[in-house]
Amino acid sequence: TIASNLAISLAQSGRRVVLLDADLRRPAQHQIFGLDNARGLSSLLAGDLEAARLLAEATRTPVPSLNAYLHPTAVPALHVIPAGPVPMNPVQALKSPRFLHLLGDLKTRADLVLIDAPPVLGVVDGAILAGIADLTFLVLAENHVARGEAAQCKHALTQVSANLAGVILNRVQFQPEA
């Protein structure tokens, strides 16, 4: 929800935003925005768009584009690419040259590309994405993440040369003063 709310806020401020659900193991953005998850990032990384283009050229039918994967939302300047079906090897998909090419293409179409990534601890996917991203924000849940785990997250991000811009504290228990 942090990524989706941030994407909405940035789009409402006048920026053209693409939210990319790169949590290929437990995607959520398609549910948040009420989108079909039958195809998405994993489909693009598997080469579905290239295959569709070749088929269209061979059959002389309209050539599909990346726009078919960019889902519009109720916020005019915000588009979402859902994760798509869970791939056999998410790490290999995220480390592929296709992923870097896709990010480059998306950066030409939007002012900001936000990547919703899985947790840094547990699987390597989040660290891989942090190493590719221009900026990384670490989201920590108050009273759910121990100090040692937070330090492990920071260390994992340092290992991939992530540009850690800050920490977002989530699930904060706010108690107004009486």
Side-chain angles (χ1 to χ4, degrees):
T1 58
I2 297 288
S4 57
N5 287 332
L6 181 58
I8 290 167
S9 295
L10 290 167
Q12 288 175 334
S13 76
R15 307 268 185 141
R16 293 174 301 137
V17 179
V18 171
L19 175 58
L20 180 61
D21 192 348
D23 188 342
L24 298 179
R25 297 171 196 268
R26 293 182 50 190
Q29 296 305 325
H30 68 285
Q31 293 171 330
I32 292 170
F33 288 97
L35 303 172
D36 183 11
N37 197 39
R39 66 178 182 177
L41 176 59
S42 63
S43 311
L44 287 165
L45 299 181
D48 287 7
L49 185 56
E50 287 88 349
R53 285 179 178 157
L54 289 173
L55 180 62
E57 289 172 8
T59 59
R60 298 188 187 275
T61 56
V63 178
S65 74
L66 181 58
N67 292 336
Y69 293 81
L70 287 164
H71 294 270
T73 66
V75 181
L78 174 60
H79 288 81
V80 176
I81 297 180
V86 176
M88 292 291 287
N89 189 340
V91 172
Q92 184 179 2
L94 295 173
K95 291 177 93 175
S96 72
R98 272 197 184 113
F99 184 67
L100 294 176
H101 179 74
L102 173 63
L103 281 180
D105 192 359
L106 292 174
K107 287 179 181 182
T108 66
R109 296 168 180 261
D111 299 319
L112 296 166
V113 177
L114 277 91
I115 303 172
D116 185 18
V120 174
L121 297 181
V123 293
V124 72
D125 309 25
I128 289 169
L129 292 164
I132 295 169
D134 294 333
L135 293 174
T136 299
F137 289 90
L138 180 61
V139 178
L140 298 174
E142 182 182 53
N143 297 323
H144 288 83
V145 177
R147 186 179 299 251
E149 291 173 319
Q152 283 180 305
C153 289
K154 184 176 184 289
H155 178 73
L157 295 174
T158 302
Q159 292 297 313
V160 294
S161 302
N163 186 4
L164 185 58
V167 175
I168 298 172
L169 194 56
N170 195 13
R171 299 183 185 173
V172 175
Q173 300 298 316
F174 177 71
Q175 296 185 1
E177 295 180 21

